[in-house]
Amino acid sequence: MIHRHDFLIIGTGIAGLSYALKAARHGTVAIITKKEKAESNTNLAQGGVAAVMSAVDSFDLHVRDTLATGMGLSHTDAVEVMVREGPERLRELIDVGVRFTQKNGMLDLGREGGHSTNRIVHASDLTGREIERALLQAVAENPSITTFENHIAVELITEHHTAEKRVIDRSNIHCWGAYALDSVGRRVDTFTARVVMLSTGGLGNVYLHTTNPGIATGDGVAMAHRAGALIANMEFIQFHPTTLFNSGSPSFLISEAVRGFGAVLKARNGEEFMQLYDERRALAPRDIVAYAIDTELKKRGDDFVLLDLRHLPADGVREHFPHIYETCLNRFKLDITREPVPVVPAAHYSCGGVVTDIDGRTSLRGLYASGEVSMTGVHGANRLASNSLLEALVFSDRAARASALYLREQSSPIPAVREWDDSGTFNSEEWILILHNRREIQQIMWDYVGIVRSDLRLERAWRRMDLIRREVESFYKKTKVTEGLLELRNIALCAELIIRCAMKRKESRGLHVTTDYRQRDDTHFLRDTLLDD
Ligand SMILES: Cc1cc2nc3c(=O)[nH]c(=O)nc-3n(C[C@H](O)[C@H](O)[C@H](O)COP(=O)(O)OP(=O)(O)OC[C@H]3O[C@@H](n4cnc5c(N)ncnc54)[C@H](O)[C@@H]3O)c2cc1C
């Protein structure tokens, strides 16, 4: 089946939905989303959106904080754009119906690590859910937008997929849509559009432990890379230091505020260890705590460390952290006021991705990207807390304007596109192969390409991943596509891209820490890690 629209949007998180509302002013819009509409990283965001919304704050301060966190790699133009346009985008969200928490008739601005003043706009501690709710409602009410749930994009349509199989000139590739597996109807549909917005979110599921929901399998990065788009900075993966061990997928977050309240980190045998890493101990910044825990786990061969709250007044714990207390008690049968909490860091956010300019354009004509899938240049080597929702809002808006203009300029029709052809493939019952490979990749990435890397670990990971990826590709070519197989293929490719970038960066900077090159090296590495093949 062929679906024809002016705009095709892949993903229903903040990036895709906010873009859709603006694109719909210029043409017909199809949004495809992998599962149900609300399944996204956006839906889980707790803290909020960083923006300059008070008289005591300033654009310069927010820019400075963002650049400092990015450790020399953030693009100043992208940061300036995000910070200066942020407040306007936030007001638009309020107009759409998002109810942010207020205090005395004003927005209640929270504070997070790395911000020099209060600037986190939030909806209690469920900010993402509130944003997602309001955006989904506005999209549902818009007659120009059609949403297709349970449609997982398989491949971007480029010259390669035209009826006459045009020769690909790598410097001038066009994107005209995507193939998508209708996982309920069990067929692959063709979606054509002059403009494609890639807003598929992150890739936390490349790792064994992640705070990301199951949808975050790096599909956008993998599809864009296969189509020939420029990818960058995949080595910069942010890990959240404390998530509940074995809490399933996604890992359940134990907020940093728990450490702020006095909880102490200990090894399994009860020894404290944070004093070896930072004089602030458990109150050290996120990266340092994640690094310390990871080092202790590797040194001791343990699977988790303990976060001990037993010395704290039980009433105070229950009062300050009702959600964490009740979830641990009811879902995990763990009374955190009486038992130490087993915790482990988990992959949280990908700073790298599909390279865009400050108008969301990728290196493929007609393909735009926004949100976690993109590399706008804002985050550099590390992400400042709560800048990601803001980044998505600002660059989706700019991409909407740029892509509307692009649409208007196009005069020739989209070339005839071949429909999905899976003749010669078979239905495999080998679910176990997919599951096993997925697990193996996640374990390899966790053990060798996690918080602390080394040449030896990266080489080991590379050899193993190379083998697995070849196996997966060969299996993919013979088999009718399923959601599990598509995700496995994308996870495998993203893992390889992360390793390739990590191997290129022979220094330690921001989220990329390697024991072989412990220092930051501005002479050779004050630049993005680009993958253009
Ligand atoms: C637990 C948690 C807490 C966070 N807290 C904050 C916070 O307080 N502040 C902040 O700024 N950031 C926070 N973040 C990060 C932030 O939530 C994300 O970076 C942001 O929501 C990404 O938005 P997005 O639109 O790019 O992607 P997402 O919201 O993840 O949406 C991606 C969409 O793409 C769809 N999709 C993926 N692949 C395909 C495919 N192949 N075909 C079709 N559809 C596909 C998914 O189903 C989903 O609808 C948090 C993240 C997590 C996990």
Side-chain angles (χ1 to χ4, degrees), residues 11-12 14-15 33-34 40-42 47-48 153 201 219 349 372 386 388-389:
T12 46
I14 188 170
T33 192
K34 202 167 178 173
S40 59
N41 275 7
T42 301
D219 298 359
Y349 184 82
E372 196 168 335
S386 287
S388 35
L389 294 172

Side-chain angles (χ1 to χ4, degrees), residues 10-16 32-37 39-50 112 127 132 151-154 199-202 211-213 215-217 219-220 223 253 348-349 370-373 383 385-390 392 490:
I10 311 178
T12 46
I14 188 170
I32 56 175
T33 192
K34 202 167 178 173
K35 294 217 159 113
E36 284 166 16
K37 286 182 261 207
E39 272 200 57
S40 59
N41 275 7
T42 301
N43 211 33
L44 296 188
Q46 299 172 345
V49 192
E112 282 182 347
T127 308
E132 190 76 13
H151 279 68
I152 171 167
V154 178
S199 42
T200 47
T211 61
N212 293 187
I215 52 97
T217 50
D219 298 359
M223 287 188 293
L253 262 188
H348 190 53
Y349 184 82
S370 176
E372 196 168 335
V373 70
R383 175 188 70 126
S386 287
N387 261 355
S388 35
L389 294 172
L390 181 70
N490 293 332

Side-chain angles (χ1 to χ4, degrees), residues 235-247:
E235 68 273 38
F236 297 118
I237 305 288
Q238 189 172 63
F239 288 81
H240 197 287
T242 51
T243 67
L244 186 63
F245 177 68
N246 257 348
S247 50

Side-chain angles (χ1 to χ4, degrees), residues 170 225-226 228-231 497 500 504 530-533:
R170 280 193 74 87
H225 178 73
R226 286 193 293 266
L230 188 61
I231 309 290
L497 299 179
R500 276 177 64 191
K504 282 178 172 227
L530 297 175
L531 296 178
D532 54 4
D533 59 331

Side-chain angles (χ1 to χ4, degrees), residues 57-77:
D57 199 0
S58 74
F59 291 145
D60 285 349
L61 267 184
H62 191 180
V63 167
R64 200 188 65 190
D65 293 344
T66 304
L67 294 179
T69 308
M71 301 204 74
L73 291 193
S74 297
H75 301 189
T76 312
D77 59 344

Side-chain angles (χ1 to χ4, degrees), residues 73-75 232-233 235 375 377 380 505 525-530:
L73 291 193
S74 297
H75 301 189
N233 291 0
E235 68 273 38
M375 203 296 281
R505 186 167 290 282
F525 294 103
L526 193 58
R527 53 180 161 78
D528 294 324
T529 313
L530 297 175

